[in-house]
PDB file of all heavy atoms in Angstrom:
ATOM      1  N   ASP U 107      10.262  23.960  32.012  1.00 96.00           N
ATOM      2  CA  ASP U 107       9.940  24.265  30.615  1.00 96.00           C
ATOM      3  C   ASP U 107       9.032  23.179  30.052  1.00 96.00           C
ATOM      4  O   ASP U 107       8.991  22.066  30.570  1.00 96.00           O
ATOM      5  CB  ASP U 107      11.235  24.377  29.808  1.00 96.00           C
ATOM      6  CG  ASP U 107      11.928  23.033  29.655  1.00 96.00           C
ATOM      7  OD1 ASP U 107      11.563  22.283  28.731  1.00 96.00           O
ATOM      8  OD2 ASP U 107      12.810  22.701  30.478  1.00 96.00           O
ATOM      9  N   PHE U 108       8.322  23.493  28.960  1.00 97.00           N
ATOM     10  CA  PHE U 108       7.267  22.570  28.487  1.00 97.00           C
ATOM     11  C   PHE U 108       7.807  21.268  27.914  1.00 97.00           C
ATOM     12  O   PHE U 108       7.057  20.304  27.756  1.00 97.00           O
ATOM     13  CB  PHE U 108       6.331  23.276  27.487  1.00 97.00           C
ATOM     14  CG  PHE U 108       6.876  23.411  26.077  1.00 97.00           C
ATOM     15  CD1 PHE U 108       6.421  22.587  25.059  1.00 97.00           C
ATOM     16  CD2 PHE U 108       7.848  24.356  25.763  1.00 97.00           C
ATOM     17  CE1 PHE U 108       6.905  22.711  23.756  1.00 97.00           C
ATOM     18  CE2 PHE U 108       8.341  24.485  24.474  1.00 97.00           C
ATOM     19  CZ  PHE U 108       7.876  23.666  23.466  1.00 97.00           C
ATOM     20  N   LEU U 109       9.105  21.205  27.606  1.00 97.00           N
ATOM     21  CA  LEU U 109       9.667  19.959  27.060  1.00 97.00           C
ATOM     22  C   LEU U 109      10.285  19.055  28.130  1.00 97.00           C
ATOM     23  O   LEU U 109      10.684  17.930  27.836  1.00 97.00           O
ATOM     24  CB  LEU U 109      10.716  20.285  25.977  1.00 97.00           C
ATOM     25  CG  LEU U 109      10.134  20.903  24.699  1.00 97.00           C
ATOM     26  CD1 LEU U 109      11.256  21.357  23.756  1.00 97.00           C
ATOM     27  CD2 LEU U 109       9.202  19.918  23.975  1.00 97.00           C
ATOM     28  N   TRP U 110      10.306  19.529  29.364  1.00 97.00           N
ATOM     29  CA  TRP U 110      10.962  18.778  30.448  1.00 97.00           C
ATOM     30  C   TRP U 110      10.310  17.419  30.681  1.00 97.00           C
ATOM     31  O   TRP U 110      10.958  16.384  30.694  1.00 97.00           O
ATOM     32  CB  TRP U 110      10.913  19.622  31.731  1.00 97.00           C
ATOM     33  CG  TRP U 110      11.510  18.990  32.944  1.00 97.00           C
ATOM     34  CD1 TRP U 110      12.848  18.852  33.229  1.00 97.00           C
ATOM     35  CD2 TRP U 110      10.798  18.427  34.058  1.00 97.00           C
ATOM     36  NE1 TRP U 110      13.007  18.243  34.454  1.00 97.00           N
ATOM     37  CE2 TRP U 110      11.775  17.970  34.983  1.00 97.00           C
ATOM     38  CE3 TRP U 110       9.453  18.277  34.388  1.00 97.00           C
ATOM     39  CZ2 TRP U 110      11.440  17.362  36.205  1.00 97.00           C
ATOM     40  CZ3 TRP U 110       9.109  17.667  35.588  1.00 97.00           C
ATOM     41  CH2 TRP U 110      10.109  17.221  36.486  1.00 97.00           C
ATOM     42  N   ARG U 111       9.001  17.413  30.812  1.00 97.00           N
ATOM     43  CA  ARG U 111       8.323  16.130  31.077  1.00 97.00           C
ATOM     44  C   ARG U 111       8.325  15.233  29.841  1.00 97.00           C
ATOM     45  O   ARG U 111       8.233  14.023  29.939  1.00 97.00           O
ATOM     46  CB  ARG U 111       6.891  16.368  31.575  1.00 97.00           C
ATOM     47  CG  ARG U 111       5.968  17.028  30.555  1.00 97.00           C
ATOM     48  CD  ARG U 111       4.539  17.062  31.088  1.00 97.00           C
ATOM     49  NE  ARG U 111       3.576  17.515  30.096  1.00 97.00           N
ATOM     50  CZ  ARG U 111       2.287  17.210  30.137  1.00 97.00           C
ATOM     51  NH1 ARG U 111       1.802  16.466  31.107  1.00 97.00           N
ATOM     52  NH2 ARG U 111       1.464  17.654  29.215  1.00 97.00           N
ATOM     53  N   ILE U 112       8.408  15.860  28.687  1.00 98.00           N
ATOM     54  CA  ILE U 112       8.423  15.103  27.424  1.00 98.00           C
ATOM     55  C   ILE U 112       9.757  14.367  27.270  1.00 98.00           C
ATOM     56  O   ILE U 112       9.810  13.175  26.964  1.00 98.00           O
ATOM     57  CB  ILE U 112       8.235  16.078  26.230  1.00 98.00           C
ATOM     58  CG1 ILE U 112       6.992  16.966  26.415  1.00 98.00           C
ATOM     59  CG2 ILE U 112       8.207  15.305  24.924  1.00 98.00           C
ATOM     60  CD1 ILE U 112       5.682  16.243  26.391  1.00 98.00           C
ATOM     61  N   HIS U 113      10.823  15.109  27.508  1.00 97.00           N
ATOM     62  CA  HIS U 113      12.175  14.555  27.327  1.00 97.00           C
ATOM     63  C   HIS U 113      12.377  13.315  28.207  1.00 97.00           C
ATOM     64  O   HIS U 113      13.033  12.350  27.816  1.00 97.00           O
ATOM     65  CB  HIS U 113      13.215  15.628  27.670  1.00 97.00           C
ATOM     66  CG  HIS U 113      14.488  15.479  26.907  1.00 97.00           C
ATOM     67  ND1 HIS U 113      15.344  16.502  26.670  1.00 97.00           N
ATOM     68  CD2 HIS U 113      15.066  14.389  26.322  1.00 97.00           C
ATOM     69  CE1 HIS U 113      16.393  16.076  25.973  1.00 97.00           C
ATOM     70  NE2 HIS U 113      16.243  14.794  25.755  1.00 97.00           N
ATOM     71  N   ALA U 114      11.789  13.372  29.402  1.00 97.00           N
ATOM     72  CA  ALA U 114      11.945  12.263  30.352  1.00 97.00           C
ATOM     73  C   ALA U 114      11.318  10.968  29.837  1.00 97.00           C
ATOM     74  O   ALA U 114      11.613   9.887  30.355  1.00 97.00           O
ATOM     75  CB  ALA U 114      11.318  12.648  31.692  1.00 97.00           C
ATOM     76  N   GLN U 115      10.464  11.064  28.824  1.00 97.00           N
ATOM     77  CA  GLN U 115       9.709   9.884  28.370  1.00 97.00           C
ATOM     78  C   GLN U 115      10.105   9.386  26.992  1.00 97.00           C
ATOM     79  O   GLN U 115       9.431   8.501  26.443  1.00 97.00           O
ATOM     80  CB  GLN U 115       8.202  10.213  28.354  1.00 97.00           C
ATOM     81  CG  GLN U 115       7.618  10.623  29.682  1.00 97.00           C
ATOM     82  CD  GLN U 115       7.463   9.443  30.630  1.00 97.00           C
ATOM     83  OE1 GLN U 115       7.474   8.292  30.214  1.00 97.00           O
ATOM     84  NE2 GLN U 115       7.347   9.730  31.923  1.00 97.00           N
ATOM     85  N   VAL U 116      11.180   9.939  26.418  1.00 98.00           N
ATOM     86  CA  VAL U 116      11.548   9.463  25.069  1.00 98.00           C
ATOM     87  C   VAL U 116      12.075   8.029  25.145  1.00 98.00           C
ATOM     88  O   VAL U 116      12.631   7.615  26.159  1.00 98.00           O
ATOM     89  CB  VAL U 116      12.580  10.401  24.387  1.00 98.00           C
ATOM     90  CG1 VAL U 116      11.981  11.784  24.197  1.00 98.00           C
ATOM     91  CG2 VAL U 116      13.879  10.476  25.170  1.00 98.00           C
ATOM     92  N   PRO U 117      11.856   7.242  24.083  1.00 98.00           N
ATOM     93  CA  PRO U 117      12.274   5.834  24.112  1.00 98.00           C
ATOM     94  C   PRO U 117      13.796   5.697  24.151  1.00 98.00           C
ATOM     95  O   PRO U 117      14.502   6.537  23.605  1.00 98.00           O
ATOM     96  CB  PRO U 117      11.733   5.283  22.786  1.00 98.00           C
ATOM     97  CG  PRO U 117      11.595   6.468  21.889  1.00 98.00           C
ATOM     98  CD  PRO U 117      11.230   7.609  22.788  1.00 98.00           C
ATOM     99  N   LYS U 118      14.246   4.657  24.833  1.00 97.00           N
ATOM    100  CA  LYS U 118      15.689   4.407  24.809  1.00 97.00           C
ATOM    101  C   LYS U 118      16.040   3.530  23.605  1.00 97.00           C
ATOM    102  O   LYS U 118      15.159   3.012  22.924  1.00 97.00           O
ATOM    103  CB  LYS U 118      16.175   3.810  26.125  1.00 97.00           C
ATOM    104  CG  LYS U 118      15.570   2.478  26.530  1.00 97.00           C
ATOM    105  CD  LYS U 118      16.143   2.007  27.884  1.00 97.00           C
ATOM    106  CE  LYS U 118      15.146   2.210  29.013  1.00 97.00           C
ATOM    107  NZ  LYS U 118      15.540   1.726  30.327  1.00 97.00           N
ATOM    108  N   LYS U 119      17.325   3.384  23.349  1.00 97.00           N
ATOM    109  CA  LYS U 119      17.766   2.619  22.179  1.00 97.00           C
ATOM    110  C   LYS U 119      17.159   1.215  22.192  1.00 97.00           C
ATOM    111  O   LYS U 119      17.181   0.536  23.213  1.00 97.00           O
ATOM    112  CB  LYS U 119      19.294   2.534  22.157  1.00 97.00           C
ATOM    113  CG  LYS U 119      19.940   3.879  21.840  1.00 97.00           C
ATOM    114  CD  LYS U 119      21.459   3.805  21.823  1.00 97.00           C
ATOM    115  CE  LYS U 119      22.096   5.182  21.861  1.00 97.00           C
ATOM    116  NZ  LYS U 119      21.676   6.095  20.780  1.00 97.00           N
ATOM    117  N   GLY U 120      16.632   0.797  21.066  1.00 97.00           N
ATOM    118  CA  GLY U 120      16.010  -0.524  20.953  1.00 97.00           C
ATOM    119  C   GLY U 120      14.507  -0.492  21.157  1.00 97.00           C
ATOM    120  O   GLY U 120      13.815  -1.439  20.795  1.00 97.00           O
ATOM    121  N   GLN U 121      14.012   0.593  21.754  1.00 98.00           N
ATOM    122  CA  GLN U 121      12.582   0.664  22.074  1.00 98.00           C
ATOM    123  C   GLN U 121      11.747   1.343  20.979  1.00 98.00           C
ATOM    124  O   GLN U 121      12.244   2.186  20.235  1.00 98.00           O
ATOM    125  CB  GLN U 121      12.355   1.474  23.355  1.00 98.00           C
ATOM    126  CG  GLN U 121      12.599   0.705  24.639  1.00 98.00           C
ATOM    127  CD  GLN U 121      12.252   1.541  25.864  1.00 98.00           C
ATOM    128  OE1 GLN U 121      12.338   2.772  25.860  1.00 98.00           O
ATOM    129  NE2 GLN U 121      11.870   0.864  26.937  1.00 98.00           N
ATOM    130  N   VAL U 122      10.469   0.974  20.975  1.00 98.00           N
ATOM    131  CA  VAL U 122       9.460   1.755  20.266  1.00 98.00           C
ATOM    132  C   VAL U 122       8.734   2.573  21.331  1.00 98.00           C
ATOM    133  O   VAL U 122       8.200   2.011  22.292  1.00 98.00           O
ATOM    134  CB  VAL U 122       8.450   0.846  19.525  1.00 98.00           C
ATOM    135  CG1 VAL U 122       7.313   1.677  18.933  1.00 98.00           C
ATOM    136  CG2 VAL U 122       9.145   0.031  18.448  1.00 98.00           C
TER     137      VAL U 122
END
Side-chain angles (χ1 to χ4, degrees):
Chain U
D107 69 85
F108 79 104
L109 292 173
W110 179 76
R111 65 173 188 156
I112 307 294
H113 210 156
Q115 300 286 342
V116 298
K118 60 181 104 176
K119 290 180 194 304
Q121 280 184 331
V122 173

